[in-house]
Amino acid sequence: MAMEVNAVKPLLDISTTLQPNISINTTTHGTTTVRQLVTKIPVSNETNTSALHPCLGILYEEVKDSGVRVWDVALLVPNALFLIFLLINIKSAHAKLKNSKSPIFTTFYLMVFVVACTGVARCVVSMTVNAASTLGTDIDKILWLVLKFFLLATELSVLIFGLAFGHLDSKSSIKRVLVCTTLIALVFSVTQGFLEFVHPDHKLRADTKDYDVYGHGGMMFWFITSSFFFLVYSCTFILPFTKLKEKIQLPMKTSFYVYVLILAILNLLQTIGAVLVFVNINAGLCIVDITTYLYFTCFAPLIYITFLREFIKTPTTTIFFSYKAQVDDGDDGEVNMPHSYSTSSKDLSFGYDSTEFDGYNSSLVINRGDQSNSEDA
């Protein structure tokens, strides 16, 4: 019997050499050694992800086992198209911003441009690193945190600028708002990063994978923050329907409240999705994916459409009205308002860059060229 086994051994060695997927299991029964051929069936990434829920598998699915995830490609395309749009129109936008001398509109444009560049950069870098490795996973999460930092800082700044335009009338006040929103966004991102790396939530972890994807700081953290922002945007949206509109200045532009309503609905859906994922209901995965995709691809274009598109398309000869309640040393004090404001039930609107003026602390500023022409007439 031993001679037969030894005679078969060279054949087994040849088989394993020609077929790497074939291995030999050796077992011993008393004095008899039995060698068996065992065929290893290779399992591709496609086979791994196909066993997952579709809304979870899309986060791990790769383009033909290339290491490039479909999720990153899906995020890259709309972000890249929007960035290309900004680059194509950058000369005209720069000329308009320079002529208007409006620090607020310039700030809006810079924030949108930075967010668009960061979104594209995150996708490109994530597609070039190996997400399956520990280093690749860490780099991917860090890039997500950086992008979220810029998005949140922009989101907070836009909300404050929209609500307090009548009081943010100097460059120094705008800088103070940017500093405050940046610090808040930094605290948020540091907290989220701590949860991602120190106390990761494995609700988005695939059993067939040995690495995590970006988990938004965990479902509970996401639920709390989304609930908070939902309340903030909801309260902002209903302000014009309350008696506060007679006591404080509120934006009159409908587009601002449409912007606020969209973000309120988005945060509500994120809250629902986070709760469903936390209690292991698969439907929450789809809600999480959809809201994440919409936020990281449509937020910058939404700001552009709401606050910048009409301004950039307006001819440079248009008369601009400026609200001028305070003048700081070294500031020109003239800031064009992208929204009309109301302080009483008798609302007046002067067009796109108009405000309703308060007789004591307001001044009407008209472009010098148009002023001189009117004097000559």
Side-chain angles (χ1 to χ4, degrees):
M1 183 67 180
M3 293 179 61
E4 293 178 0
V5 173
N6 292 333
V8 177
K9 182 178 179 181
L11 297 177
L12 296 176
D13 294 338
I14 293 174
S15 298
T16 56
T17 302
L18 297 178
Q19 300 290 336
N21 293 328
I22 297 178
S23 63
I24 302 174
N25 286 352
T26 303
T27 58
T28 303
H29 301 279
T31 59
T32 305
T33 301
V34 179
R35 297 166 65 86
Q36 297 176 329
L37 292 179
V38 179
T39 303
K40 298 178 181 178
I41 301 176
V43 180
S44 64
N45 178 71
E46 183 177 356
T47 305
N48 284 336
T49 55
S50 62
L52 301 174
H53 188 278
C55 293
L56 180 60
I58 190 65
L59 302 178
Y60 294 89
E61 184 73 27
E62 296 180 0
V63 181
K64 296 182 179 179
D65 294 332
S66 61
V68 177
R69 286 177 293 190
V70 175
W71 184 245
D72 289 328
V73 176
L75 290 168
L76 174 64
V77 173
N79 279 289
L81 291 176
F82 181 64
L83 180 59
I84 292 172
F85 168 78
L86 292 179
L87 292 174
I88 291 175
N89 296 278
I90 193 170
K91 288 186 178 180
S92 59
H94 178 265
K96 182 63 186 291
L97 292 170
K98 185 177 180 180
N99 291 333
S100 69
K101 296 181 181 180
S102 171
I104 290 183
F105 282 112
T106 302
T107 303
F108 273 20
Y109 189 84
L110 289 176
M111 288 189 297
V112 169
F113 194 83
V114 169
V115 167
C117 291
T118 307
V120 172
R122 190 215 66 80
C123 293
V124 172
V125 176
S126 295
M127 292 165 62
T128 57
V129 299
N130 181 14
S133 65
T134 302
L135 179 61
T137 301
D138 292 344
I139 292 176
D140 182 63
K141 288 185 177 182
I142 291 173
L143 291 172
W144 275 108
L145 292 170
V146 171
L147 177 58
K148 180 62 180 178
F149 165 77
F150 284 110
L151 284 168
L152 183 60
T154 302
E155 189 176 343
L156 294 173
S157 299
V158 168
L159 181 62
I160 295 175
F161 288 152
L163 289 174
F165 256 129
H167 305 282
L168 300 177
D169 41 24
S170 64
K171 292 182 180 180
S172 61
S173 60
I174 294 174
K175 290 178 182 178
R176 285 193 292 269
V177 170
L178 292 177
V179 170
C180 291
T181 55
T182 299
L183 291 176
I184 294 173
L186 181 61
V187 172
F188 179 95
S189 298
V190 169
T191 304
Q192 191 178 54
F194 174 80
L195 295 173
E196 280 288 332
F197 289 101
V198 181
H199 297 287
D201 186 354
H202 299 295
K203 294 294 183 180
L204 298 180
R205 176 77 175 265
D207 294 335
T208 56
K209 297 292 183 179
D210 56 355
Y211 65 94
D212 289 317
V213 294
Y214 174 66
H216 305 273
M219 294 302 108
M220 186 53 63
F221 177 79
W222 202 8
F223 164 75
I224 294 173
T225 55
S226 296
S227 299
F228 173 77
F229 283 111
F230 166 70
L231 293 175
V232 170
Y233 285 116
S234 298
C235 292
T236 303
F237 179 75
I238 65 175
L239 281 177
F241 305 99
T242 65
K243 293 184 179 180
L244 288 175
K245 68 179 181 180
E246 300 176 358
K247 300 178 181 179
I248 61 175
Q249 292 179 327
L250 294 176
M252 291 175 58
K253 279 286 184 177
T254 305
S255 57
F256 174 76
Y257 294 100
V258 172
Y259 163 83
V260 169
L261 178 61
I262 290 174
L263 288 180
I265 294 174
L266 184 66
N267 280 279
L268 175 61
L269 293 175
Q270 287 179 340
T271 301
I272 296 173
V275 170
L276 293 178
V277 173
F278 185 77
V279 296
N280 298 319
I281 298 177
N282 289 333
L285 294 170
C286 298
I287 298 176
V288 165
D289 285 354
I290 293 172
T291 54
T292 300
Y293 186 81
L294 291 176
Y295 181 72
F296 284 98
T297 58
C298 300
F299 179 68
L302 179 62
I303 294 179
Y304 183 89
I305 293 172
T306 304
F307 300 98
L308 294 171
R309 183 181 63 176
E310 188 177 350
F311 167 75
I312 292 177
K313 286 185 177 181
T314 304
T316 55
T317 56
T318 300
I319 296 177
F320 294 100
F321 296 87
S322 301
Y323 192 97
K324 186 178 179 183
Q326 72 179 50
V327 179
D328 295 340
D329 295 338
D331 291 337
D332 55 16
E334 299 178 8
V335 179
N336 298 324
M337 299 295 104
H339 293 290
S340 301
Y341 282 82
S342 172
T343 56
S344 67
S345 58
K346 298 179 180 180
D347 297 331
L348 301 175
S349 177
F350 296 94
Y352 182 68
D353 287 312
S354 62
T355 61
E356 183 177 0
F357 301 105
D358 218 30
Y360 298 100
N361 296 323
S362 308
S363 64
L364 179 62
V365 180
I366 306 177
N367 287 349
R368 293 182 180 179
D370 295 329
Q371 188 177 12
S372 61
N373 292 336
S374 62
E375 290 176 355
D376 294 339

